[in-house]
Amino acid sequence: TSPEDLKGTMEDGIQLLDWDPERSAAVHAVVNAAFRDHWGHTDSTAEMWQEQLTSTPFRPGRTVIAVDAANH
């Protein structure tokens, strides 16, 4: 499935958007918060996050962001 197939508004008002570098800090904060209670998790720093975004495995063209359609 490609991101193009996923974009749009889904049930419960969740909207899928293309990756947007301007939302990077917000996505980083959500990822840290989502995994904070996971055993062994350590929050990543801004530098660590940026390193992930510039690594070969990260493919912005194949990345979508799920947001609340009412508040995005």
Side-chain angles (χ1 to χ4, degrees):
T1 303
S2 75
E4 287 298 317
D5 296 333
L6 298 174
K7 284 193 305 187
T9 301
M10 302 172 66
E11 290 184 40
D12 299 326
I14 302 300
Q15 186 173 16
L16 296 178
L17 304 173
D18 288 329
W19 172 254
D20 180 354
E22 301 235 349
R23 293 179 182 263
S24 180
V27 172
H28 178 216
V30 168
V31 169
N32 274 339
F35 288 96
R36 195 161 285 135
D37 292 335
H38 189 273
W39 182 83
H41 172 76
T42 302
D43 282 358
S44 64
T45 64
E47 292 79 16
M48 293 164 71
W49 178 252
Q50 189 58 38
E51 186 176 311
Q52 288 180 341
L53 297 181
T54 57
S55 69
T56 302
F58 179 68
R59 297 177 10 191
R62 307 251 317 126
T63 303
V64 294
I65 304 169
V67 297
D68 179 343
N71 297 313
H72 77 90

